[in-house]
């Protein structure tokens, strides 16, 4: 799929309602891929490289190290001899699959224990660990020719390590999961509401400044400046709603509660399924509420009363 004269996208459906996109940015000197999707997308991504008529695919940038963004790393590396670049800190998630599973799916094994099925589901999205050749951070510029330029942005919140890009010549904002889906039956998860809010604010400011012509993300359909604002508002409301819901649960509880009943009640009240991503997210909200003095932690128990 062609986004504009410089940018192409591969697309698959992760579920009936959730698309997954990866991107190619074409320069005259060299081209780059942004995210590698799931392992089964390899053929689609090769198709996009062919469609774009790019000759030199020099780098693959992983926006963050979640399975649906790094899944074809190994195959793409083998096919194009490209270098894999990922955010500072994300290396081990990409290189070591056992570590990936443990960090991602087992945030609290006493609440959600190891499940072979979940392990196979998640690891099956990726074609195996592969080496990260360089790590990148905010402010790095990738010059694909004299006018095509990618500027790197740091956008953590959903994940500890996440980057996005602005392609300057086409005024396009390119994101992985820096903004997540805010509706649906699953919490996409965010590890730090504070950092997520900061990234949402940063994107709103950048959008005011640049009025992005196109905004492309992993899990939303391509949109524009107005569409980005709508998504930012959706994410902002979701973060707030998780905070209010936790507060409400703690206000109504006769006694201090531990993480598990709080997480289960948040899922019920917000209509989401019980899953590891939501569990880590609720823990992140509780931790920061304790840091801010809004919730009192007594041992493993939380209270507002
Ligand atoms: Fe993600
Ligand atoms: Fe994703």
């Amino acid at each position: 799929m062609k986004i504009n004269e410089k940018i192409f996208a591969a697309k698959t459906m992760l579920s009936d309602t959730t698309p997954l996109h990866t991107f190619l940015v074409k320069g005259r000197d060299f081209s780059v891929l942004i995210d590698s999707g799931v392992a089964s997308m390899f053929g689609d991504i090769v198709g996009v490289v062919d469609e774009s008529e790019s000759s030199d695919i020099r780098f693959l940038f992983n926006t963050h190290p979640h399975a649906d963004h790094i899944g074809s790393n190994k195959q793409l590396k083998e096919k194009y001899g490209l270098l894999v670049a990922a955010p500072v800190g994300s290396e081990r998630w990409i290189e070591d699959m056992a570590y990936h599973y443990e960090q991602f799916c087992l945030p609290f094994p006493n609440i959600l224990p190891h499940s072979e099925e979940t392990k196979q589901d998640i690891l099956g999205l990726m074609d195996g660990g592969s080496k990260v050749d360089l790590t990148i951070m905010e402010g790095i510029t990738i010059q694909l020719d004299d006018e095509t330029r990618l500027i790197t942005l740091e956008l953590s919140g959903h994940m500890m390590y996440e980057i996005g890009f602005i392609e300057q010549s086409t005024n396009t904002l390119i994101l992985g999961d820096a903004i997540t889906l805010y509706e649906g039956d699953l919490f996409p998860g965010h590890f730090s509401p504070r950092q997520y809010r900061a990234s949402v604010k940063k994107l709103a400011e950048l959008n005011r400044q640049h009025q992005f012509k196109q905004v492309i993300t992993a899990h939303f359909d391509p949109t524009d400046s107005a569409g980005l604002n709508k998504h930012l508002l959706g994410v902002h409301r979701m973060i707030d709603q998780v905070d209010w819901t936790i507060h409400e649960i703690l206000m109504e509880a006769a006694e201090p509660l531990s993480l598990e009943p709080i997480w289960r009640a948040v899922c019920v009240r917000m209509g989401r399924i019980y899953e590891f991503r939501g569990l880590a997210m609720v823990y992140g909200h509780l931790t920061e509420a304790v840091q801010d003095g809004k919730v009192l932690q007594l041992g493993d128990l939380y209270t507002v009363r």
Side-chain angles (χ1 to χ4, degrees):
M1 173 188 4
K2 194 169 180 173
I3 302 289
N4 57 46
E5 71 273 23
K6 306 266 175 76
I7 305 175
F8 297 78
K11 179 182 178 180
T12 192
M13 292 304 287
L14 278 184
S15 71
D16 291 349
T17 51
T18 308
L20 170 61
H21 303 95
T22 72
F23 306 105
L24 178 148
V25 185
K26 183 181 179 181
R28 280 188 298 275
D29 299 335
F30 63 92
S31 300
V32 303
L33 295 171
I34 297 177
D35 281 341
S36 70
V38 289
S40 58
M41 268 183 97
F42 172 64
D44 301 315
I45 297 171
V46 171
V48 165
V49 173
D50 294 345
E51 180 196 353
S52 72
E53 298 178 338
S54 301
S55 51
D56 184 359
I57 308 292
R58 207 169 285 182
F59 297 104
L60 161 62
F61 293 99
N62 293 137
T63 57
H64 67 299
H66 279 154
D68 55 326
H69 299 258
I70 64 173
S72 298
N73 272 25
K74 200 173 174 184
Q75 300 166 89
L76 289 168
K77 203 168 182 170
E78 274 164 24
K79 175 146 179 95
Y80 297 111
L82 47 76
L83 295 175
V84 171
V88 173
S90 68
E91 303 91 308
R92 201 169 166 197
W93 280 70
I94 299 171
E95 295 175 347
D96 179 347
M97 294 291 98
Y99 179 82
H100 184 115
Y101 169 67
E102 212 182 274
Q103 293 292 308
F104 189 39
C105 304
L106 302 176
F108 296 93
N110 55 324
I111 299 175
L112 276 179
H114 162 72
S115 134
E116 202 51 38
E117 199 192 330
T118 305
K119 186 174 183 179
Q120 294 315 323
D121 278 355
I122 296 298
L123 296 190
L125 297 173
M126 299 175 279
D127 57 12
S130 66
K131 182 180 157 245
V132 174
D133 300 294
L134 61 153
T135 53
I136 50 174
M137 56 175 71
E138 167 114 352
I140 288 181
T141 302
I142 304 114
Q143 191 82 36
L144 286 80
D145 57 42
D146 51 11
E147 57 173 21
T148 313
R149 187 179 301 125
L150 286 168
I151 309 291
T152 310
L153 308 166
E154 195 273 323
L155 296 164
S156 65
H158 162 65
M159 224 271 169
M160 275 159 271
Y161 324 107
E162 175 125 14
I163 51 167
F165 301 93
I166 297 169
E167 198 296 296
Q168 281 193 322
S169 69
T170 56
N171 196 22
T172 306
L173 177 68
I174 308 172
L175 304 176
D177 290 354
I179 48 171
T180 58
L181 296 171
Y182 40 87
E183 287 159 346
D185 60 359
L186 180 109
F187 283 120
H190 47 266
F191 91 101
S192 165
R194 193 180 294 143
Q195 289 187 37
Y196 202 5
R197 283 196 174 98
S199 287
V200 166
K201 176 169 170 254
K202 181 173 178 173
L203 287 168
E205 281 168 7
L206 284 167
N207 198 22
R208 216 163 44 228
Q209 195 184 322
H210 292 266
Q211 298 285 314
F212 294 114
K213 193 167 174 211
Q214 284 171 297
V215 176
I216 52 178
T217 67
H219 304 296
F220 293 102
D221 290 331
T223 186
D224 56 11
S225 174
L228 174 62
N229 283 338
K230 178 178 156 260
H231 293 324
L232 291 172
L233 184 60
V235 171
H236 178 81
R237 284 180 175 152
M238 177 188 64
I239 303 170
D240 271 354
Q241 204 189 341
V242 176
D243 267 342
W244 300 333
T245 306
I246 291 174
H247 195 78
E248 216 172 66
I249 291 162
L250 293 176
M251 284 290 287
E252 291 167 13
E255 293 181 342
L257 297 174
S258 69
L259 172 61
E260 181 167 0
I262 299 169
W263 160 64
R264 290 192 185 277
V266 170
C267 292
V268 170
R269 292 184 189 202
M270 291 184 67
R272 312 288 179 120
I273 59 168
Y274 299 133
E275 210 237 18
F276 55 88
R277 278 168 266 227
L279 176 56
M281 178 198 78
V282 169
Y283 178 72
H285 277 260
L286 281 169
T287 303
E288 291 185 3
V290 170
Q291 287 165 0
D292 295 343
K294 291 178 182 157
V295 169
L296 183 64
Q297 183 176 5
L298 304 164
D300 289 339
L301 303 177
Y302 300 92
T303 185
V304 289
R305 293 156 70 93

